[in-house]
């Protein structure tokens, strides 16, 4: 190849490289979008479907444990007034979630009205949200609930993980 023929190829390679680098910085997920993705992942991890009624309880526990291990710090604290006495850890939460098909046919949570406050260093974030829950009880009756939820996320090894999760009672107001 002559030098004149190599020039367009080199220019094309440089343009492609510049577009790839520029695209990375333009379309890479922001910290906020990564935290919102973790909320969606948490909602999926605690979901109970009709299929879960027939699932092997040990397999469900293993799946839930794996998801919560990826979502929570090892020493995370979870407070859900109706389900935990005081502060539970992620293992207790996994046991509760895995056993949920014994109490409900279906359970679905959606996090809405999400507000996020991040520190300047982007190493910690406080999230306030509304958890909208829909469930079908074992007897077939449907129920719905809405609760304020506060989460404290920390950046660890390139991922956002939950340090604390607090579900507030209807009577209590979120302090944040």
């Amino acid at each position: 190849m002559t030098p004149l023929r190599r020039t367009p190829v080199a220019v094309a390679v440089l343009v492609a490289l510049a577009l790839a680098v520029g695209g990375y910085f333009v379309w890479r997920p922001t910290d906020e979008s990564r935290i919102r993705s973790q909320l969606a992942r948490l909602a999926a991890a605690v979901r109970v479907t009709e299929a879960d009624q027939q699932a092997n309880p040990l397999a469900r526990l293993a799946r839930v444990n794996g998801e919560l291990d990826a979502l929570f710090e090892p020493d995370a604290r979870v407070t859900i007034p109706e389900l935990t006495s005081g502060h539970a850890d992620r293992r207790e939460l996994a046991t509760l979630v895995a056993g949920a098909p014994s109490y409900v046919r279906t359970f679905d949570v959606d996090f809405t009205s999400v507000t996020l406050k991040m520190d300047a260093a982007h190493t910690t974030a406080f999230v306030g949200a509304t958890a909208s829950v829909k469930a079908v009880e074992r007897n077939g009756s449907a129920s719905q609930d809405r609760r304020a939820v506060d989460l404290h996320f920390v950046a660890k090894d390139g991922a956002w993980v939950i340090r604390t999760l607090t579900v507030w009672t209807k009577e209590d107001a979120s302090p944040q």
Side-chain angles (χ1 to χ4, degrees):
M1 209 180 248
T2 66
L4 289 177
R5 286 190 152 167
R6 281 187 256 163
T7 303
V9 172
V11 168
V13 168
L14 288 174
V15 167
L17 182 61
L19 287 174
V21 169
Y24 171 78
F25 286 107
V26 171
W27 290 296
R28 72 178 172 172
T30 64
D31 287 324
E32 182 172 344
S33 68
R34 290 171 49 214
I35 289 170
R36 287 179 183 273
S37 292
Q38 290 294 73
L39 288 174
R41 190 173 178 186
L42 175 60
V46 301
R47 181 173 295 124
V48 177
T49 65
E50 292 281 348
D52 291 323
Q53 304 303 314
Q54 312 323 316
N56 179 326
L58 292 177
R60 179 167 165 77
L61 178 60
R63 182 187 63 75
V64 169
N65 256 330
E67 281 296 307
L68 297 185
D69 281 353
L71 287 165
F72 287 85
E73 277 191 321
D75 58 345
R77 292 176 316 161
V78 177
T79 305
I80 306 171
E82 294 81 5
L83 301 177
T84 61
S85 58
H87 297 295
D89 61 17
R90 72 178 183 195
R91 295 282 179 230
E92 291 172 79
L93 180 61
T95 301
L96 288 168
V97 170
S102 300
Y103 305 102
V104 295
R105 288 185 190 173
T106 63
F107 180 87
D108 195 34
V109 64
D110 186 32
F111 294 103
T112 60
S113 303
V114 176
T115 59
L116 194 137
K117 297 176 190 170
M118 192 170 304
D119 71 335
H122 287 243
T123 59
T124 187
F126 292 95
V127 175
T130 300
S132 299
V133 175
K134 293 180 183 177
V136 175
E137 308 294 330
R138 296 293 295 165
N139 65 8
S141 65
S143 64
Q144 294 184 10
D145 196 8
R146 292 171 51 90
R147 298 290 181 90
V149 178
D150 289 326
L151 301 102
H152 177 196
F153 281 86
V154 293
K156 289 241 173 132
D157 301 324
W160 285 97
V161 293
I162 301 166
R163 178 170 284 166
T164 62
L165 173 122
T166 303
V167 177
W168 298 94
T169 64
K170 289 182 181 183
E171 295 77 31
D172 290 334
S174 170
Q176 294 189 9

